[in-house]
Amino acid sequence: MTDGPPRTTVSAWRPSVPGIAEVFHAHFTEHAYPSHTHDTWALMILNDGAVDFALDRHRHDATGSGTVVLLPPHVSHDGRTVTASGFRKRVLYLDTSVLPEELTGRAVDGPVFGDDLLRHRIHHLHTALGHPGDGFEAESRLAFIRERLHGHLDALRPPRTPGREANRLATALRDLLDSRLANGMSLEEAAALLHAHPTHLIRCFKQTYGLPPHAYLTGKRIERARGLLLDGRRPAEVAAAVGFHDQAHLHRHFTRHVGTTPARYAGRTIRPARSPQGACSDRPG
């Protein structure tokens, strides 16, 4: 099944494996992600094609099946196709039980790894996640992936940190926005609560997280909407639950961020087919 531009396909599901919040597979030919953030780490491999992306306002590229991309939580990033054929990607959204958030700065410094073994392990984890009942194998494969990612991040220099004042205000505003996701709040209200001038608050937030507060809030609402849709909730119900004005409002932003409509995304729970009986399998590690 396809939607959007020709050959665009999307599938997503939530596996029962601790540490993995979501699995996302897609083929995009024209889609461009706007700047947004995630609460989770995004671990991506390409099946083919090329993607250009910015992380914390620094541009990077990944091409073909030889690279691994790791995007840290709470850091703005975008993404766009490079060629007419687009790119096919597989993404694991990993929570901070897999990688601690304090490694964020190191990932910002080096988000692309040319590591064939790591890519091989991620590929086989995706295969295991597509087979119901293979949870133990998936957990084992994830453990090896976590170990190798730590090796890469430990080799990078310590995180870069913004000024204390900017970081303090930005963190406080992020906490406020997270706590008022469904109901929202005005900039004036946030500024009054944090005893800061509105424009100064915006500058501090953008300096720390790489995008303005309103874009952060929209991205967080989309992230929450994805989870509720995967839980089987109806798009109209999800729109109200995450703070969008109505279903059309959700539809517009969701399609811009994810590359497919909420209704179509909710139905994309197709797993990869099981390998033929007796086929050789790769062992963890």
Side-chain angles (χ1 to χ4, degrees), residues 21-280:
E22 182 184 328
V23 183
F24 184 74
H25 294 181
H27 175 205
F28 289 129
T29 55
E30 298 177 9
H31 182 59
Y33 284 97
S35 256
H36 63 288
T37 67
H38 295 289
D39 285 341
T40 56
W41 295 82
L43 182 62
M44 181 182 78
I45 57 175
L46 296 178
N47 290 2
D48 55 59
V51 60
D52 173 270
F53 68 95
L55 178 66
D56 194 32
R57 293 160 287 186
H58 297 281
R59 299 220 69 85
H60 304 271
D61 63 84
T63 303
S65 60
T67 57
V68 175
V69 175
L70 179 66
L71 304 177
H74 307 305
V75 179
S76 65
H77 57 277
D78 62 17
R80 63 193 182 196
T81 55
V82 175
T83 64
S85 59
F87 61 93
R88 299 177 188 272
K89 69 173 184 176
R90 288 176 286 171
V91 184
L92 299 171
Y93 292 96
L94 307 175
D95 65 34
T96 53
S97 69
V98 179
L99 292 173
E101 195 169 343
E102 54 262 31
L103 294 175
T104 291
R106 303 185 194 187
V108 169
D109 288 338
V112 181
F113 309 129
D115 184 336
D116 288 339
L117 177 58
L118 177 59
R119 201 269 179 196
H120 174 82
R121 289 174 174 173
I122 296 169
H123 164 73
H124 285 288
L125 174 55
H126 277 280
T127 301
L129 290 169
H131 296 165
D134 286 352
F136 186 78
E137 177 187 347
E139 289 184 54
S140 301
R141 293 189 180 281
L142 180 60
F144 281 103
I145 290 167
R146 176 183 180 276
E147 178 183 70
R148 195 142 183 102
L149 287 172
H150 269 279
H152 280 289
L153 295 175
D154 289 345
L156 296 171
R157 65 182 183 270
R160 298 169 299 182
T161 57
R164 288 183 179 180
E165 174 66 10
N167 186 66
R168 182 187 67 79
L169 283 173
T171 301
L173 179 55
R174 190 187 81 183
D175 291 344
L176 272 178
L177 294 175
D178 288 349
S179 70
R180 297 279 291 274
L181 190 66
N183 297 326
M185 67 188 314
S186 70
L187 179 60
E188 293 294 334
E189 182 182 0
L193 288 170
L194 298 176
H195 308 289
H197 190 276
T199 56
H200 179 61
L201 195 57
I202 293 171
R203 289 191 183 101
C204 289
F205 194 95
K206 191 168 184 180
Q207 177 183 334
T208 303
Y209 297 115
L211 75 171
H214 72 271
Y216 171 82
L217 183 61
T218 297
K220 287 299 297 292
R221 285 172 168 166
I222 293 298
E223 186 172 32
R224 179 72 59 84
R226 289 170 70 156
L228 293 177
L229 289 166
L230 290 178
D231 286 339
R233 308 264 298 266
R234 294 180 296 106
E237 182 185 4
V238 169
V242 302
F244 286 107
H245 178 69
D246 53 24
Q247 186 173 346
H249 191 204
L250 168 67
H251 181 101
R252 178 166 60 88
H253 284 291
F254 194 95
T255 303
R256 182 168 173 253
H257 275 253
V258 184
T260 191
T261 67
R264 288 168 175 163
Y265 181 87
R268 306 291 186 177
T269 57
I270 301 171
R271 274 69 167 177
R274 182 181 290 276
S275 301
Q277 187 73 21
C280 295

